[in-house]
Amino acid sequence: MSKLKKIFLLCLIILMVFVGVVFVLLNNSKLELDLLFYHTGPVNVSILIGLAFAVGFLLGMAVTSLTVLKLKIFGKRGRDRAIKSSTQVVASKS
C-alpha cells in the first residue's frame, strides 16, 4: 500500500507541474507590474505566473514539512502525556 501511495503522490506532483507549465506557456502577453514600492517594466505574464507557481509550491512544501516535523518532535510527548493523564484519571476513580 505504501508503494501505491508513493506512485499516486508522484503522479499528482507530475500532473501539477504539467498543468503549471502548460498554463505558463499559454500566457504570452506582457504587462507592467506595479508593486507597493517597486514598478517593473513590461514582463511576460508567463514568467510571473511561473514564479508565482514555483513560490507557492515551495512555500506549501515548507509549511507542510514544518508541520510534519512538529508532529514528529512533539507528537510522542503529547501522546505520552495524554496516556499518563488518562491512566491517572482511571486510577483515581478506582
Side-chain angles (χ1 to χ4, degrees):
M1 190 67 176
S2 177
K3 286 185 179 185
L4 185 62
K5 284 183 182 180
K6 288 180 182 179
I7 291 171
F8 179 73
L9 183 62
L10 181 64
C11 289
L12 185 64
I13 290 173
I14 290 171
L15 178 68
M16 288 172 43
V17 169
F18 177 73
V19 168
V21 168
V22 168
F23 193 71
V24 166
L25 292 176
L26 291 176
N27 291 294
N28 296 341
S29 60
K30 294 187 182 271
L31 73 103
E32 293 181 13
L33 188 61
D34 188 13
L35 301 171
L36 190 59
F37 297 109
Y38 185 71
H39 180 75
T40 66
V43 181
N44 282 341
V45 174
S46 61
I47 292 173
L48 294 175
I49 292 173
L51 287 174
F53 181 77
V55 167
F57 183 77
L58 292 174
L59 285 175
M61 292 289 285
V63 168
T64 303
S65 298
L66 289 174
T67 304
V68 169
L69 183 64
K70 183 176 118 179
L71 287 174
K72 283 186 178 181
I73 291 172
F74 297 114
K76 184 174 168 70
R77 286 189 217 152
R79 186 176 58 229
D80 290 345
R81 277 191 227 140
I83 291 171
K84 186 175 181 181
S85 66
S86 66
T87 55
Q88 288 175 351
V89 169
V90 171
S92 66
K93 287 184 179 180
S94 298

